[in-house]
């Protein structure tokens, strides 16, 4: 079946980037825009799993909300597979994520320019970050309303005694005083903002679309699984031209067409944007041939350059009586929290994780002098590096750049449940725990995502190749060793249970490492994803493995672009949703300037 109307823009995937992009483009009334989204719309007014921040995680694994991807066994992580939730709904992964709001460092984006992408510097992206964000500083009155007393303007406190100690611990450790990381740099420990509105509700990508959804030039079709981009016959001097998109809705196969000068924008995220390109005949010749897909453009970079932030945790038991968020696992406590939330939109369920921070390599590897550090890193990695890795290595040596994001959660982490894909959530041990986690900022390990069938309903093969690069192992191991010092320092130490020798007590399955070698073993045993895959349709020169140019146009095509986290050419520090929104904002400007 083919749909009679023709469109100026067909957007594949109404997720974190795609839905905002559609809303921004529809501000031009002469343009017609169609969004094809495989998932459903879950309005926050009717779906508490999306709406209530503290219920994050409850939507994981539900086919109504989550694509539920799984990685292939990870060689450097004891052959464990890893669970990769991704939002299958309007709003995409912003509808299931933890809502933590941080920003990359200025140098992260300046690196993108150095890799051959003019127009993507931090200074040039800053207005787009700002356009996507509305910051509400918590007042005392708001704190009272939300059930957090007291809350000060610095976002401190309000989460119980354990988490409230976080910035104070940073001061006690002698870390730099944190600045707002939305200024392009930040080191130290702090409480970060969340994507939660004044009513304590998730504020995510649908907020762009809801106010404009009635516009006559904007159409959103949910329940529509895109199978491929359709290309016209032949190839012009500038490349092949897409004529439309083929999708399946309620068992019916439909082809929608582009109008004159129309474009397809692929916004299906880091897992499925490369999948859709490959299914459409754009990709590595060998991969396409393996599954009988006719090649339209040879693009060996599709699905390559996958990077993800990887996390290493360490959990300790807390003293009896110290409250942790594990209490919410008790049905009677959970019922009380739900009641509190429903009455006041406040309490712990209006929250996720705010306790974070960024530490430089020198701050972790405190036994090494500056020159030793450079030598140490050179020893680990003497070979010539790819341009992105060489830039990331310079950041690792720079004292003003973060080597890890540090997080604190007032619960224990048991990563040893080998029967299920590895995940950081929960445990079934008696007692209560607190956990510090280190996440890589500019991951060196590089994996890939490729189709494993010509069937669009079959999940692609995801291989992040976690810890395949020795620098990732070293950075996380240095952090795990350093965390032992943090846990021996007040105020954190004061909350932790001690054994007969006065030492902190790790959660079952973990042992405090004394050497870097032991810490490395810990990392191999316990690391898991921070859920931030990027890079599989990288914005890079084609000869460097690029898939899109700096206007996000797919090489070899005249009218297909990609706009989502898959275009990041190298990783950036912290939580990446803010950058996905900024990319969508910039793409809208870029497309509107051409129309
Ligand atoms: C569990 C988890 C926690 C996270 N926590 C945070 C956090 O606290 N802070 C933060 O900043 N970041 C966080 N992230 C990362 C962040 O949410 C993502 O990087 C970001 O949302 C990705 O946006 P995207 O537009 O690239 O993809 P998505 O938002 O995933 O959008 C892709 C869309 O395309 C649709 N789609 C895919 N294939 C097809 C197809 N064939 N046909 C039609 N539609 C299709 C999908 O259903 C989806 O709606 C988290 C991620 C996860 C998974």
């Amino acid at each position: 079946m083919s749909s009679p109307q023709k469109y100026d823009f067909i957007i594949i995937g109404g997720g974190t980037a795609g839905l905002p992009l559609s809303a921004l483009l529809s501000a031009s009334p002469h343009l017609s825009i169609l969004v094809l989204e495989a998932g459903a719309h879950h309005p926050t007014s009717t779906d508490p799993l999306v709406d209530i921040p503290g219920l994050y995680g409850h939507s994981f694994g539900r086919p109504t909300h989550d694509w539920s991807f799984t990685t292939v066994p990870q060689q450097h992580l004891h052959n464990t597979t890893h669970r990769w939730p991704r939002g299958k709904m309007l709003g995409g992964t912003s509808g299931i994520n933890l809502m933590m709001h941080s920003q990359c460092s200025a140098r992260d984006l300046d690196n993108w320019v150095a890799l051959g992408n003019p127009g993507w510097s931090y200074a040039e992206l800053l207005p787009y970050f700002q356009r996507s964000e509305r910051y509400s500083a918590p007042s005392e009155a708001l704190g009272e309303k939300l059930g957090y007393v007291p809350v000060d303007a610095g976002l401190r406190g309000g989460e119980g005694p354990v988490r409230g100690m976080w910035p104070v611990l940073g001061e006690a450790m002698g870390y730099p005083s944190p600045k707002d990381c939305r200024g392009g740099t930040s080191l130290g420990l702090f409480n970060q903002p969340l994507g939660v509105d004044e009513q304590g509700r998730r504020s995510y990508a649908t907020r762009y679309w809801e106010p404009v959804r009635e516009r006559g030039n904007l159409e959103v079709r949910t329940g529509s699984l895109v199978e491929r981009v359709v290309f016209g016959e032949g190839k012009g001097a500038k490349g092949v031209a897409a004529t439309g998109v083929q999708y399946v809705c309620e068992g019916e196969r439909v082809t929608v067409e582009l109008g004159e000068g129309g474009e397809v924008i692929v916004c299906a995220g880091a897992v499925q944007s490369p999948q859709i390109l490959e299914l459409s005949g754009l990709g590595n010749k060998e991969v396409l041939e393996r599954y009988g897909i006719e090649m339209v453009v040879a693009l060996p970079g599709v699905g390559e350059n996958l990077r993800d932030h990887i996390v290493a945790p360490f959990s300790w038991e807390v003293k009896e009586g110290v409250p942790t968020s594990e209490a919410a696992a008790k049905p009677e406590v959970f019922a009380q929290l739900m009641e509190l939330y429903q009455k006041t939109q406040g309490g712990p369920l209006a929250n996720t994780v705010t306790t974070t921070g960024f530490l430089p390599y020198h701050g972790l590897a405190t036994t090494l002098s500056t020159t030793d550090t450079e030598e140490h890193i050179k020893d680990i990695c003497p070979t010539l590096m790819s341009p992105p890795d060489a830039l990331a290595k310079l950041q690792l040596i720079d004292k003003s750049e973060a080597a890890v994001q540090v997080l604190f959660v007032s619960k224990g982490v048991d990563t040893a449940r080998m029967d299920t894909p590895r995940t950081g959530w929960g445990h079934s041990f008696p007692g209560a725990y607190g956990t510090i986690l280190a996440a890589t900022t500019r991951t060196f390990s590089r994996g890939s995502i490729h189709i494993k069938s010509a069937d669009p309903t079959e999940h692609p093969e995801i291989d992040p190749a976690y810890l395949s690069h020795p620098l990732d192992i070293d950075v996380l191991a240095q952090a795990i060793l350093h965390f032992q010092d943090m846990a021996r320092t007040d105020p954190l130490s004061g909350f932790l249970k001690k054994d007969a020798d006065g030492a902190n007590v790790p959660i079952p399955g973990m042992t405090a490492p004394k050497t870097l070698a032991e810490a490395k073993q810990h990392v191999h045993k316990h690391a898991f994803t921070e859920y931030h895959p990027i890079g599989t349709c990288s914005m890079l020169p084609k000869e460097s493995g690029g898939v899109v140019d700096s206007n996000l146009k797919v090489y070899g095509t005249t009218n297909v672009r990609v706009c989502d986290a898959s275009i990041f050419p190298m990783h950036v520090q912290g939580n990446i949703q803010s950058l996905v929104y900024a990319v969508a904002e910039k793409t809208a400007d870029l497309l509107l300037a051409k129309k």
Side-chain angles (χ1 to χ4, degrees):
M1 192 180 111
S2 79
S3 176
Q5 192 180 339
K6 295 189 175 185
Y7 296 89
D8 292 305
F9 291 108
I10 301 175
I11 295 179
I12 302 176
T16 315
L19 200 57
L21 179 61
S22 72
L24 293 164
L25 292 174
S26 70
S28 283
H30 65 284
L31 297 175
S32 54
I33 295 119
L34 172 67
V35 179
L36 297 170
E37 166 56 44
H41 180 33
H42 295 273
T44 49
S45 52
T46 56
D47 190 341
L49 294 185
V50 178
D51 185 26
I52 303 177
L55 296 189
Y56 75 86
H58 289 246
S59 55
F60 298 176
R62 289 178 196 252
T64 44
H65 294 68
D66 180 7
W67 289 93
S68 297
F69 296 113
T70 307
T71 69
V72 299
Q74 292 301 291
Q75 191 190 344
H76 303 282
L77 290 165
H78 294 219
N79 279 327
T80 44
T81 58
H82 292 242
R83 187 175 172 186
W84 268 31
R86 306 299 297 170
K88 185 180 184 180
M89 63 175 83
L90 271 194
T93 305
S94 71
I96 66 162
N97 71 14
L98 271 69
M99 293 155 266
M100 298 175 71
H101 191 82
S102 65
Q103 229 178 54
C104 58
S105 84
R107 196 151 155 199
D108 284 335
L109 291 180
D110 295 346
N111 282 343
W112 291 17
V113 178
L115 291 172
N117 298 303
W120 290 88
S121 69
Y122 183 74
E124 285 160 302
L125 265 279
L126 189 56
Y128 296 115
F129 279 113
Q130 287 167 345
R131 252 165 47 173
S132 68
E133 183 184 294
R134 189 171 71 205
Y135 177 60
S136 322
S139 62
E140 238 168 79
L142 176 65
E144 229 162 315
K145 187 172 162 224
L146 296 180
Y148 298 137
V149 183
V151 173
D152 71 23
L155 287 177
R156 291 190 176 186
E159 296 170 38
V162 176
R163 287 206 262 175
M165 60 78 204
W166 187 242
V168 185
L169 176 64
E171 284 159 28
M173 293 296 294
Y175 299 152
S177 295
K179 295 189 200 127
D180 189 331
C181 62
R182 291 166 300 165
T185 173
S186 87
L187 295 173
L189 306 186
F190 54 95
N191 285 306
Q192 75 180 115
L194 292 177
V196 174
D197 72 8
E198 295 86 341
Q199 278 75 47
R201 304 170 67 179
R202 179 187 292 267
S203 179
Y204 69 119
T206 55
R207 296 285 174 106
Y208 272 86
W209 167 73
E210 263 150 14
V212 303
R213 59 185 290 183
E214 300 304 336
R215 282 181 183 156
N217 63 339
L218 173 58
E219 197 184 331
V220 172
R221 296 185 194 166
T222 52
S224 302
L225 181 85
V226 170
E227 298 189 318
R228 66 185 183 103
V229 178
V230 181
F231 288 94
E233 293 292 315
K235 185 177 170 186
K238 291 188 175 161
V240 294
T243 56
V245 172
Q246 176 184 304
Y247 70 96
V248 171
C249 183
E250 291 180 351
E252 191 162 12
R253 182 160 286 132
V254 183
T255 302
V256 271
E257 288 180 26
L258 290 170
E260 172 109 27
E263 299 203 26
V264 173
I265 321 290
V266 185
C267 302
V271 177
Q272 285 142 302
S273 284
Q275 179 190 24
I276 290 168
L277 292 187
E278 288 182 343
L279 291 172
S280 310
L282 313 177
N284 184 316
K285 187 167 170 273
E286 277 167 32
V287 173
L288 303 185
E289 271 175 6
R290 198 175 307 144
Y291 302 108
I293 295 168
E294 194 184 331
M295 196 174 75
V296 177
V297 179
L299 259 186
V302 174
E304 296 297 320
N305 199 28
L306 169 65
R307 316 261 186 167
D308 189 13
H309 289 152
I310 180 148
V311 171
F314 203 98
S315 304
W316 299 269
E317 194 163 358
V318 300
K319 285 177 179 162
E320 210 162 311
V322 172
T324 67
S325 56
E326 288 152 327
K330 292 187 187 139
E332 65 281 13
V333 176
F334 184 74
Q336 282 172 17
L337 296 180
M338 276 300 274
E339 200 184 321
L340 176 67
Y341 180 84
Q342 269 145 8
K343 271 198 199 137
T344 66
Q345 273 88 50
L349 291 183
N351 198 3
T352 66
V353 177
T354 62
T355 32
T356 195
F358 293 96
L359 296 178
Y361 188 82
H362 294 79
L364 303 173
T366 44
T367 52
L368 298 173
S369 74
T370 308
T371 25
D372 284 348
T373 305
E374 293 190 29
E375 285 305 311
H376 177 72
I377 290 173
K378 218 190 276 166
D379 279 353
I380 297 172
C381 195
T383 52
L384 200 64
M385 295 179 127
S386 68
D389 286 353
L391 291 167
K393 186 169 150 182
L394 288 178
Q395 282 177 291
L396 199 55
I397 293 165
D398 187 336
K399 279 185 169 169
S400 62
E401 291 286 310
V404 287
Q405 180 179 18
V406 186
L407 305 150
F408 181 81
V409 290
S410 62
K411 59 177 149 192
V413 164
D414 173 17
T415 59
R417 290 168 297 178
M418 302 295 273
D419 51 327
T420 56
R422 188 181 287 182
T423 150
W425 307 108
H427 66 86
S428 45
F429 303 119
Y433 301 85
T435 303
I436 311 184
L437 306 100
T440 51
T441 46
R442 291 149 205 110
T443 314
F444 290 88
S445 303
R446 193 158 30 157
S448 63
I449 295 180
H450 290 292
I451 50 168
K452 55 174 192 271
S453 155
D455 177 356
T457 62
E458 191 153 334
H459 287 179
E461 182 170 286
I462 300 175
D463 182 6
Y466 289 132
L467 303 186
S468 54
H469 198 289
L471 275 179
D472 290 339
I473 304 166
D474 178 79
V475 166
L476 291 179
Q478 299 279 8
I480 289 294
L481 265 186
H482 185 70
F483 289 172
Q484 310 307 316
D485 287 341
M486 287 171 81
R488 283 190 286 266
T489 306
D490 277 328
L492 178 56
S493 174
F495 290 110
L496 301 181
K497 189 174 172 174
K498 309 293 170 199
D499 66 15
D501 299 324
N504 295 322
V505 180
I507 199 168
M510 291 188 187
T511 309
K514 294 193 178 63
T515 63
L516 193 58
E518 285 176 10
K520 285 183 181 179
Q521 283 172 17
H522 176 95
V523 170
H524 286 293
K525 190 169 166 202
H526 295 288
F528 58 94
T529 174
E530 200 191 11
Y531 313 108
H532 294 167
I534 59 119
T536 45
C537 298
S538 278
M539 176 173 65
L540 280 171
K542 193 175 170 202
E543 57 282 9
S544 313
V547 174
V548 297
D549 66 17
S550 56
N551 289 317
L552 305 186
K553 178 104 39 102
V554 177
Y555 290 112
T557 75
T558 61
N559 61 350
V560 180
R561 296 182 207 248
V562 181
C563 167
D564 55 32
S566 71
I567 65 103
F568 295 13
M570 61 184 285
H571 228 320
V572 302
Q573 72 174 40
N575 309 96
I576 61 170
Q577 169 175 269
S578 57
L579 184 51
V580 176
Y581 286 131
V583 167
E585 290 269 3
K586 183 176 161 70
T587 308
D589 263 13
L590 201 138
L591 294 174
L592 290 173
K594 289 187 193 300
K595 287 284 173 188

